[in-house]
Amino acid sequence: MTDPQRRWSHVTYASFRNRAAGGGWHTGPSVAATPEDEQLVVQYAPTSVVPTSPVDDFISAKEIAELPRRFEYLPVQGQGLFMQSVPAGKDATGRPGNVFTHAFIDHDLSAPLAATYPINLYGSPDLQTPFRIASVDAVELVPDLQEPRPGPLTDLAVAWTMVTTMLGDRSGALFRLQDVLAEGSLTPILTVRNANEAVYWLQALSSTLSPEESRTLLHFSTFEHAQSLPACLPEQAPPVLVVPHADKEALRRREDVTVIDPTDL
């Protein structure tokens, strides 16, 4: 059972090797997690994260490090669910497309984050990112792991420089993003050219809210693909979704989204 004094619980989820030497989707190592925590992760964790370029199990360590990280934050059931999901190569049966998710749950949204905003935990060195089934099966979590350390992209000044200066003034895209969220009927989809842009745009957006509002109101995902989005997106409290710029045209015919391209003046 979860220690009532602990604020944080951690759960891993992937297609792990089972006792019959086959594979199957289920939770793996966890820290201070209840069965309810594990079920929450099973409900929301993705089983597909498709990189923009094809990969196989023979890619180099450098290429593995450059694989996309899908980082989602979802305020749900009075808690904060964080999920970092990465491509993990083939599963135990040899099927490609395994995904490893390191999820963690904040059980007290009334308390501040050491990282200030949820997006600042993207790329945390405390989050596991194994590739290949042997590494997935060998994952271990630190027993006393609580709030992960912030990731490497936490400089808010850099985020605002990107929005207002680096490519010219693109603050209009941020205002449009705020307007769509305030209207609440369509899902805003931001198109970016790389992962760093996704993080910095979400940092800038987060900083227009109070830290408490960002923890309790702002649902986002840093990496999606147009073809993998569900046919119907939520009408209430829509998430901010980020997709590669190349997916922009594929979203034009959808009536339930607003596509925001920061390079479009």
Side-chain angles (χ1 to χ4, degrees), residues 15-88:
S15 179
F16 291 95
R17 194 187 310 272
N18 58 35
R19 292 180 179 179
W25 293 96
H26 57 83
T27 58
S30 64
V31 173
T34 64
E36 292 76 18
D37 293 337
E38 294 187 352
Q39 183 54 45
L40 186 68
V41 174
V42 170
Q43 179 179 352
Y44 287 103
T47 55
S48 177
V49 176
V50 181
T52 52
S53 300
V55 299
D56 57 40
D57 270 22
F58 303 103
I59 61 176
S60 67
K62 180 177 183 296
E63 290 171 312
I64 291 172
E66 293 173 349
L67 289 173
R69 300 186 184 204
R70 179 190 183 274
F71 188 79
E72 180 176 9
Y73 176 70
L74 172 63
V76 60
Q77 299 177 12
Q79 306 170 103
L81 174 61
F82 299 75
M83 296 184 294
Q84 180 169 276
S85 305
V86 295

Side-chain angles (χ1 to χ4, degrees), residues 57-243:
D57 270 22
F58 303 103
I59 61 176
S60 67
K62 180 177 183 296
E63 290 171 312
I64 291 172
E66 293 173 349
L67 289 173
R69 300 186 184 204
R70 179 190 183 274
F71 188 79
E72 180 176 9
Y73 176 70
L74 172 63
V76 60
Q77 299 177 12
Q79 306 170 103
L81 174 61
F82 299 75
M83 296 184 294
Q84 180 169 276
S85 305
V86 295
K90 295 179 180 178
D91 66 12
T93 67
R95 290 174 297 193
N98 197 5
V99 175
F100 181 88
T101 294
H102 183 157
F104 51 105
I105 301 170
D106 180 358
H107 295 279
D108 186 4
L109 290 182
S110 66
L113 291 176
T116 307
Y117 300 110
I119 187 59
N120 288 343
L121 292 166
Y122 173 93
S124 166
D126 294 322
L127 302 181
Q128 301 287 329
T129 58
F131 187 83
R132 303 186 185 95
I133 188 61
S135 296
V136 169
D137 287 337
V139 158
E140 295 181 356
L141 300 183
V142 177
D144 60 352
L145 185 59
Q146 296 191 42
E147 178 181 337
R149 289 171 289 173
L153 305 175
T154 58
D155 191 330
L156 190 56
V158 173
W160 277 101
T161 297
M162 188 197 70
V163 171
T164 62
T165 306
M166 198 174 296
L167 298 174
D169 187 356
R170 297 291 188 263
S171 55
L174 190 63
F175 300 149
R176 180 60 180 146
L177 193 54
Q178 292 173 314
D179 287 344
V180 176
L181 285 173
E183 292 164 3
S185 59
L186 299 175
T187 296
I189 296 185
L190 190 68
T191 65
V192 300
R193 299 183 186 277
N194 58 63
N196 288 10
E197 282 190 23
V199 175
Y200 286 137
W201 276 101
L202 288 168
Q203 279 183 347
L205 175 64
S206 297
S207 72
T208 65
L209 305 170
S210 71
E212 181 181 5
E213 288 171 329
S214 73
R215 295 192 306 274
T216 57
L217 300 176
L218 186 57
H219 174 195
F220 63 79
S221 170
T222 64
F223 185 82
E224 302 290 344
H225 269 303
Q227 64 269 30
S228 61
L229 293 179
C232 296
L233 290 164
E235 295 182 2
Q236 299 299 320
V240 178
L241 304 179
V242 181
V243 304

